[in-house]
Amino acid sequence: MQLFSWIIVSFLLLLLGACQEPANPAQTVARENNDNLTTIKVIAESPGAVVFFKMNEKEIAKKFGVRLEYNYPERLTDNLENFLFATKEDYDIYSIFPVKLPLYVERDMLLPLEEYITDEFADDLMPFYQKLYMEYGDHTYGMAYDGDAHLLFYRKDIFDKYNAEYKQKYGVDLAPPKTWEEYDKIAQFLTRDEDGDGKIDFYGTAILNGGGMGYIWFAERFLSMGGSYFDSNMKPAINSEIGVKALQDLVTLQNSHAVPQGSMYDWVDLNNAFLQGHLAMTIQWSDTARFSYDSKTWNSKVADLVDWTLVPSGSPNAPAGGSWIGRVLAISNNSKVPDKAWQVIKYLTSKDVSIYSINSYETINDPYRYSHFSINEKGPFPSVDVSRHFFSTLEESLINTNAELMIPGSWDYMQSIDRNMRLALINKLTPEEALQQTADEWEQITEKYGRETQKEYYQKWLASIEEVKEITKIQKK
């Protein structure tokens, strides 16, 4: 009997080994073997980024005679470029975080897209994404593919449950926080030992601090409190009083036990913690709204219990929240078939097709076209009213918001914050030490690219943000 069991186990292990994907630096998934089709090689930072490609590959093959081949280095979400800049492999389409776009441009890897993006095609694009994420320097290098704006998500049932207790303690109703001070206070108040075993099992909030994206949770606090990255001479302003307070508040929140101890959540972890019912509120990308109703892909336990609103602010007129990370699709300068690559990009991001990318539980795409906000159907939500509430909240969040820094070395600057912020959150550095270390590293990055060059790019980036705000104001009227 024991010998028979070992035979069965050995067979299963052999079968499992045969089913595993190759452990190459880049995984390649060829969907169809048809020699009559043109192969377009797509590379992205994760499988999730190419889900919408896969959903449309049969139609793309039929319409354009294209076979799609997908590549994504394993577990390299924040370090795709370490692989990509070293490989001799050629790709046709890149899925890129806009903040990383300068890395590709300085290596002359991207084809300018002006000859492809017509006024008619761009007319429906929101200026925020077109001006701030698709354009860099003097060219348009990427086509918007994923909007990625932040919202505050909270458990309305939990807020109702503890409203009377909160009102008795603080004299006001327990409502979604509008300031960071309120946010931190509510997070601590709602942290609970619900089963009475002496251990915390329900937390007020959590933050993302893995995958190289933790800087966002600091940056949106810092910028909404009136902070700025640099002064007029490109001297770092990150270690100002505002910066120290923003980071100190995050450290205090972490040490208050209102955040799960020792958690190094990436995007998936943070979503799971909230959707499995372990958090009272969190700040996340807008697709969490639709995922909260998904009992299959995300196994949500909080359907109909979640609401969303604007990310808190630190001062009345400062930009709040933000559209962080996001994705654009770009064409390689080395592509032998750039026209075919553009056909694929144009199709996936077109008004009529892209609408499906923001309505699926399987995709990770968020709105970036005006037409995405004019849906009058329930989509992935339980009713038309809930759908309208989502899109109106998201649209409002983009009126006076933060954007990713887009200058040479922008990803390096952000990763410097990310590393040092993490050390502060585990009490290895004080907030002052962490931000001084960040400022010192920023000076080195600035000197690397040239202070005058950086000043020019930074001022142009600030001007672009103001231009988008003015366009938005006019359109609102």
Side-chain angles (χ1 to χ4, degrees):
M1 184 67 181
Q2 189 176 28
L3 177 61
F4 178 74
S5 297
W6 274 111
I7 292 172
I8 294 296
V9 169
S10 300
F11 174 76
L12 289 174
L13 288 172
L14 182 64
L15 188 63
L16 178 62
C19 294
Q20 286 179 335
E21 295 186 45
N24 295 329
Q27 296 177 341
T28 300
V29 186
R31 306 299 295 178
E32 261 184 56
N33 186 15
N34 188 329
D35 293 335
N36 295 324
L37 301 180
T38 300
T39 298
I40 295 290
K41 296 175 70 175
V42 183
I43 188 162
E45 91 291 344
S46 67
V50 298
V51 165
F52 196 56
F53 281 81
K54 293 181 181 181
M55 290 169 67
N56 288 274
E57 59 189 14
K58 289 184 179 178
E59 195 65 22
I60 287 170
K62 180 180 176 182
K63 282 181 175 291
F64 310 118
V66 165
R67 176 180 60 237
L68 296 173
E69 182 180 290
Y70 309 109
N71 306 266
Y72 34 84
E74 281 190 276
R75 306 295 294 173
L76 288 179
T77 298
D78 55 326
N79 292 313
L80 166 64
E81 286 70 27
N82 289 353
F83 161 78
L84 194 55
F85 297 158
T87 184
K88 294 181 179 178
E89 290 287 326
D90 286 329
Y91 303 94
D92 298 292
I93 296 175
Y94 300 117
S95 172
I96 303 174
F97 296 163
V99 66
K100 294 184 176 183
L101 205 59
L103 292 174
Y104 291 75
V105 175
E106 70 183 55
R107 289 166 174 78
D108 196 27
M109 293 175 65
L110 304 183
L111 188 70
L113 300 181
E114 287 89 339
E115 67 173 287
Y116 293 114
I117 300 179
T118 63
D119 290 342
E120 180 183 5
F121 187 71
D123 185 57
D124 186 49
L125 292 171
M126 299 190 73
F128 182 95
Y129 297 107
Q130 185 174 3
K131 297 287 184 184
L132 298 176
Y133 286 177
M134 292 169 54
E135 299 176 5
Y136 176 70
D138 298 322
H139 293 289
T140 298
Y141 287 104
M143 176 60 209
Y145 175 62
D146 180 14
D148 265 3
H150 264 192
L151 294 175
L152 168 66
F153 294 91
Y154 66 98
R155 288 278 301 277
K156 54 189 178 183
D157 61 320
I158 298 297
F159 275 61
D160 288 342
K161 178 179 179 179
Y162 293 108
N163 181 58
E165 181 184 336
Y166 188 85
K167 190 169 185 177
Q168 183 178 16
K169 185 173 182 178
Y170 294 110
V172 293
D173 285 322
L174 179 55
K178 294 184 178 180
T179 68
W180 291 114
E181 183 180 5
E182 292 174 349
Y183 180 89
D184 295 347
K185 181 168 71 173
I186 290 172
Q188 293 174 46
F189 172 79
L190 290 177
T191 298
R192 303 276 163 157
D193 169 18
E194 292 201 313
D195 60 10
D197 67 352
K199 299 178 182 178
I200 295 173
D201 48 35
F202 187 77
Y203 293 89
T205 192
I207 66 171
L208 186 149
N209 52 15
M213 300 179 193
Y215 71 89
I216 297 166
W217 272 252
F218 166 79
E220 62 189 346
R221 278 193 183 232
F222 170 66
L223 297 172
S224 78
M225 292 166 66
S228 58
Y229 291 133
F230 302 96
D231 67 13
S232 58
N233 292 312
M234 280 302 289
K235 288 291 183 181
I238 196 78
N239 55 338
S240 63
E241 288 185 16
I242 294 175
V244 172
K245 175 168 173 47
L247 185 52
Q248 180 62 66
D249 288 348
L250 272 174
V251 171
T252 300
L253 180 64
Q254 183 89 9
N255 291 338
S256 72
H257 305 294
V259 175
Q261 297 301 295
S263 60
M264 290 297 292
Y265 288 164
D266 62 13
W267 171 73
V268 174
D269 297 328
L270 184 55
N271 252 2
N272 279 328
F274 184 68
L275 297 177
Q276 296 306 303
H278 303 309
L279 306 175
M281 61 181 177
T282 191
I283 292 165
Q284 261 285 32
W285 282 281
S286 64
D287 46 14
T288 295
R290 69 180 188 265
F291 296 156
S292 71
Y293 293 96
D294 175 28
S295 59
K296 183 179 179 183
T297 303
W298 283 97
N299 192 29
S300 173
K301 305 268 194 314
V302 294
D304 295 316
L305 302 178
V306 174
D307 204 350
W308 44 82
T309 188
L310 305 182
V311 174
S313 181
S315 59
N317 298 316
S323 184
W324 304 97
I325 299 299
R327 289 174 180 83
V328 295
L329 299 179
I331 299 175
S332 169
N333 240 342
N334 293 325
S335 175
K336 303 287 194 299
V337 285
D339 292 349
K340 283 286 186 184
W342 174 249
Q343 284 181 324
V344 173
I345 292 173
K346 181 180 179 181
Y347 179 76
L348 292 174
T349 62
S350 65
K351 188 187 303 186
D352 294 335
V353 177
S354 64
I355 197 71
Y356 298 104
S357 72
I358 65 163
N359 280 325
S360 170
Y361 292 143
E362 298 176 16
T363 60
I364 57 175
N365 302 63
D366 296 286
Y368 53 89
R369 284 186 172 276
Y370 283 117
S371 53
H372 293 164
F373 291 83
S374 59
I375 303 175
N376 200 29
E377 300 173 358
K378 70 175 187 176
F381 299 100
S383 70
V384 174
D385 285 343
V386 175
S387 179
R388 286 174 180 164
H389 169 49
F390 167 71
F391 284 107
S392 64
T393 305
L394 183 57
E395 189 172 23
E396 187 180 355
S397 77
L398 292 170
I399 293 174
N400 182 27
T401 195
N402 295 299
E404 290 278 18
L405 182 66
M406 289 279 282
I407 66 173
S410 50
W411 184 246
D412 295 333
Y413 287 119
M414 295 302 106
Q415 290 308 284
S416 173
I417 295 178
D418 196 84
R419 288 190 302 272
N420 294 313
M421 162 191 167
R422 212 175 307 156
L423 292 172
L425 288 174
I426 60 174
N427 300 303
K428 295 293 185 182
L429 293 176
T430 67
E432 291 86 353
E433 291 169 340
L435 293 178
Q436 183 57 54
Q437 190 160 299
T438 301
D440 294 341
E441 292 170 1
W442 279 22
E443 279 286 81
Q444 295 175 22
I445 298 168
T446 298
E447 291 299 328
K448 171 186 172 182
Y449 288 98
R451 192 168 301 276
E452 292 305 313
T453 296
Q454 295 299 79
K455 282 170 63 175
E456 182 180 341
Y457 270 97
Y458 185 58
Q459 292 304 316
K460 185 174 182 179
W461 176 73
L462 291 174
S464 295
I465 290 178
E466 292 306 313
E467 180 186 359
V468 168
K469 288 180 182 178
E470 288 303 314
I471 293 172
T472 305
K473 285 179 186 177
I474 292 170
Q475 290 172 341
K476 290 298 288 184
K477 291 178 181 178

